[in-house]
Amino acid sequence: MSESDWTRGAAAVATLTFDVDAETPILAEGRHYADHPMVMSHQSYGPDVGVPRILDLLDEMAVAATFFVPGWVAEQRPGLARSIVDRGHEVAHHSYSHRAPTSLPPGAERADFVRALDVFAAQGIDIAGHRAAMWSASHETIGLVAEYGLAYDSSLMGDDRPYLVEGTHPPVVELPVHWSLDDWEQYAYLPEPRIGSVIESPIKVEQMWRAELDGMRHYGCLFNVCMHPFLTGRPGRMMALRNLISYAKECGDVTFARCRDVAARAREDVGTARRALPSYDVDPAVYPN
């Protein structure tokens, strides 16, 4: 195994990532929800209760993680990003407003992207990576990541190992994601706005993620799990996360890393795959809508 291999000899590399969305996904559905105390308290639980609880667990387990924070959230809570970085973790760009880039009018994605960078710059937070809101990257997104000198994106699903996204811009490392490793599909529920329908047992989620990790150990993959502090920060779910981390450590062939560190290793690895963004010339006679 080469020293430049992105896995550094591990069977799988685990990146624990936390999307600190707080109130932004709900406000993106409509700013009138700001007047709904139940809904807003459901979301504020994430940064106010979930994040400190997660940071304590990561300290206890001696694991570094990456927290994707919308600029609006960092702006509303000026000490939040610094509290994460000071504990040895990474803060990464997760838009400003948490509006999906594919839903924005021309020019709006750029403005939103830059506004978030300005917030982090004002707080002295070094940003290396990006994750699109709702993972809904547009054809402009990767170009913005490259233009503003970020090292990686984590929004696409073209592999289960890091790869380089090529285009007219310099190559960007992609740390791919997948719905099967997202706690939103397992735990999220609100009656209004309508989010989710079934709240799964943490025991089931832990078993499912263990199975995914075992498969990734077999195939030499990136176990890039996405969690939200307002969801996984709940007590029973935190126990499932603790058990998952313990299991990965007991395997003896899984390493944990921040996303920025995995991206740096993938860029150094000459074997990292290179791919362009999917692009199609779609015949409107075949697909009219």
Side-chain angles (χ1 to χ4, degrees):
M1 184 71 66
S2 167
E3 291 184 359
S4 65
D5 183 272
W6 72 273
T7 67
R8 296 294 193 270
V13 178
T15 45
L16 301 181
T17 73
F18 299 91
D19 288 7
V20 191
D21 298 342
E23 301 89 348
T24 57
I26 305 304
L27 293 174
E29 293 290 323
R31 67 177 182 271
H32 66 278
Y33 286 113
D35 296 325
H36 292 213
M38 179 278 287
V39 174
M40 289 294 102
S41 64
H42 182 266
Q43 300 304 122
S44 66
Y45 179 99
D48 297 345
V49 179
V51 168
R53 185 174 285 162
I54 289 164
L55 290 173
D56 287 346
L57 174 63
L58 296 173
D59 278 353
E60 177 187 343
M61 307 297 285
V63 171
T66 299
F67 292 73
F68 290 89
V69 183
W72 187 92
V73 177
E75 193 172 59
Q76 294 292 313
R77 296 171 172 84
L80 177 65
R82 177 53 58 190
S83 73
I84 294 168
V85 171
D86 286 349
R87 301 280 282 268
H89 307 291
E90 174 186 7
V91 167
H93 187 311
H94 193 36
S95 82
Y96 177 81
S97 63
H98 205 276
R99 291 175 294 164
T102 50
S103 71
L104 297 176
E109 180 182 4
R110 174 179 290 274
D112 187 89
F113 190 97
V114 173
R115 188 172 182 180
L117 287 177
D118 289 344
V119 170
F120 292 119
Q123 295 183 2
I125 304 297
D126 177 55
I127 298 294
H130 168 267
R131 174 173 284 167
M134 308 300 294
W135 296 342
S136 295
S138 74
H139 276 276
E140 184 181 7
T141 302
I142 302 299
L144 288 169
V145 171
E147 178 182 344
Y148 284 91
L150 304 188
Y152 72 88
D153 176 71
S154 184
S155 312
L156 306 179
M157 303 189 183
D159 206 328
D160 37 39
R161 302 179 182 91
Y163 60 98
L164 291 166
V165 180
E166 297 189 310
T168 57
H169 50 75
V172 171
V173 176
E174 180 62 35
L175 303 182
V177 291
H178 192 262
W179 299 113
S180 60
L181 291 175
D182 186 351
D183 68 350
W184 189 287
E185 284 63 45
Q186 308 304 321
Y187 297 142
Y189 173 77
L190 274 175
E192 185 186 359
R194 182 73 174 171
I195 293 175
S197 57
V198 177
I199 299 177
E200 294 287 2
S201 163
I203 297 171
K204 176 183 175 181
V205 176
E206 180 191 336
Q207 290 175 337
M208 180 178 69
W209 286 355
R210 282 193 186 204
E212 290 294 328
L213 178 59
D214 286 342
M216 290 182 165
R217 290 169 57 219
H218 179 80
Y219 287 103
C221 299
L222 177 66
F223 183 74
N224 189 12
V225 61
C226 174
M227 294 164 281
H228 299 76
F230 77 94
L231 297 174
T232 286
R234 296 279 172 179
R237 301 162 185 182
M238 287 295 294
M239 297 306 295
L241 176 57
R242 178 193 300 273
N243 293 341
L244 180 69
I245 295 172
S246 295
Y247 174 72
K249 288 191 166 191
E250 290 165 3
C251 289
D253 55 7
V254 178
T255 59
F256 292 87
R258 302 177 303 175
C259 287
R260 67 192 304 154
D261 300 322
V262 175
R265 296 169 191 170
R267 191 175 294 277
E268 294 172 359
D269 187 347
V270 296
T272 298
R274 294 173 175 262
R275 297 190 178 88
L277 283 178
S279 180
Y280 307 94
D281 184 12
V282 180
D283 185 348
V286 178
Y287 297 105
N289 298 319

